[in-house]
Amino acid sequence: MNSPSPELSAMIDAAQAAGHGLLRRFSQLSDLVIRAKSGPADLVSVADEEAEQTARTILSRFRPDYAFLGEEGGQVSGRDASHSWIVDPLDGTTNFLFSCPLWGVNVALARDGEVVAGVTYIPVMEEMFVAEKGRGAWLNGRRIHVSSRATLGDAVLSCGMPFAGKPDHPVFAREMALLSADVAGLRRTGACAVDMAYVACGRWDAYWERALNAWDMAPGLILASEAGGTVSNVRGDRLDLHGQNVCISNGRIHAALVDRLNQALNGPPNEG
């Protein structure tokens, strides 16, 4: 992107600094202190906390009045109530801790509840995805677009799979039953940031997940929309950043995918 705004430049700096720190920790996994947050499948390490502090320091130095929402530190109010930085310092923590390279840093800026700029940085792959409202989506300086595949039968979909302690396992099982026989492929990387960025650049055709947070999806929303895709909740309605579910696609298969997800949510016709 030529001449990113000062806000987006600060976000890129924050994501890079956090990501470089995480890469150092990635080479020292045996030394990390790991804890379970809400259950044995919801892990956090000192790497997550360091990365969030790095990003927050850079962003707060640039716009100290903005509010801040981070996965590890929670909500911090600011004098400017209309703007908020949103940071997931390490999306794909379990991947990271198990030496899988599919993890990333999410940084977004919301204005009055709407994401207006987003960065997803995947350090191991050296991929920097950026988007700003009205200015397109970009990967390492190259303009990106969603795919052009027009039917579910040709599509590769990605999803978030509910793990231990997460709700909606029966719904997910119905989604798999409805979709797996009719699509070209289903993927689950274990990192929402990666999956949503992959939709934006056409590697996947769609992504959906239930039971996730604003910091998981915020950059992916503007990446997908600025790349020409469609963004909604899993019912196909207007997305609420804090509504805890998302469905993004290339737009061409959106209605068909949402129809299947609604079928799964409502259950089979004979289910009481």
Side-chain angles (χ1 to χ4, degrees):
M1 177 185 292
N2 294 326
S3 303
S5 70
E7 288 80 5
L8 184 58
S9 294
M11 294 161 64
I12 293 169
D13 290 345
Q16 283 182 324
H20 292 165
L22 288 167
L23 280 174
R24 290 191 293 273
R25 287 294 193 177
F26 196 56
S27 66
Q28 306 165 346
L29 287 177
S30 61
D31 298 328
L32 283 182
V33 176
I34 303 168
R35 303 187 306 280
K37 286 194 287 189
S38 60
D42 193 8
L43 304 174
V44 63
S45 72
V46 65
D48 304 66
E49 296 162 340
E50 287 177 348
E52 181 165 304
Q53 186 56 55
T54 296
R56 183 178 173 186
T57 297
I58 292 171
L59 296 170
S60 297
R61 187 183 302 134
F62 176 72
R63 289 285 188 264
D65 290 343
Y66 285 8
F68 184 91
L69 175 62
E71 179 177 11
E72 307 309 329
Q75 178 76 52
V76 179
S77 60
R79 287 192 293 269
D80 183 342
S82 64
H83 290 90
S84 179
W85 301 117
I86 303 174
V87 173
D88 187 344
L90 175 51
D91 188 78
T93 298
T94 301
N95 285 354
F96 179 92
L97 296 175
F98 280 72
S99 301
C100 173
L102 294 176
W103 49 270
V105 181
N106 271 349
V107 181
L109 174 63
R111 180 180 299 127
D112 296 323
E114 177 190 7
V115 179
V116 295
V119 173
T120 291
Y121 180 40
I122 306 174
V124 177
M125 309 301 184
E126 297 184 351
E127 292 189 326
M128 177 71 73
F129 295 84
V130 304
E132 201 162 16
K133 187 175 181 181
R135 302 193 65 191
W138 304 76
L139 166 57
N140 292 350
R142 175 179 59 85
R143 187 76 178 262
I144 57 174
H145 303 278
V146 295
S147 70
S148 60
R149 286 175 284 274
T151 67
L152 282 180
D154 293 329
V156 173
L157 313 181
S158 61
C159 62
M161 182 185 301
F163 50 78
K166 293 288 186 177
D168 296 328
H169 290 267
V171 174
F172 182 77
R174 292 195 293 269
E175 289 171 346
M176 293 299 99
L178 285 165
L179 286 164
S180 60
D182 292 335
V183 299
L186 282 164
R187 304 287 185 265
R188 196 264 187 177
T189 69
C192 175
V194 173
D195 280 318
M196 294 183 78
Y198 280 14
V199 173
C201 69
R203 294 173 185 169
W204 308 149
D205 299 300
Y207 171 79
W208 82 94
E209 184 167 359
R210 305 177 192 273
L212 76 172
N213 296 289
W215 50 75
D216 298 309
M217 61 173 148
L221 300 178
I222 192 162
L223 283 169
S225 60
E226 287 294 320
T230 297
V231 172
S232 75
N233 65 18
V234 292
R235 288 190 176 273
D237 300 324
R238 182 181 176 85
L239 186 132
D240 176 358
L241 180 58
H242 299 282
Q244 299 188 316
N245 70 82
V246 68
C247 180
I248 65 170
S249 79
N250 65 6
R252 294 170 177 251
I253 65 167
H254 204 83
L257 175 57
V258 165
D259 180 66
R260 299 296 179 87
L261 297 179
N262 279 325
Q263 289 179 47
L265 187 63
N266 295 330
N270 61 352
E271 183 170 283

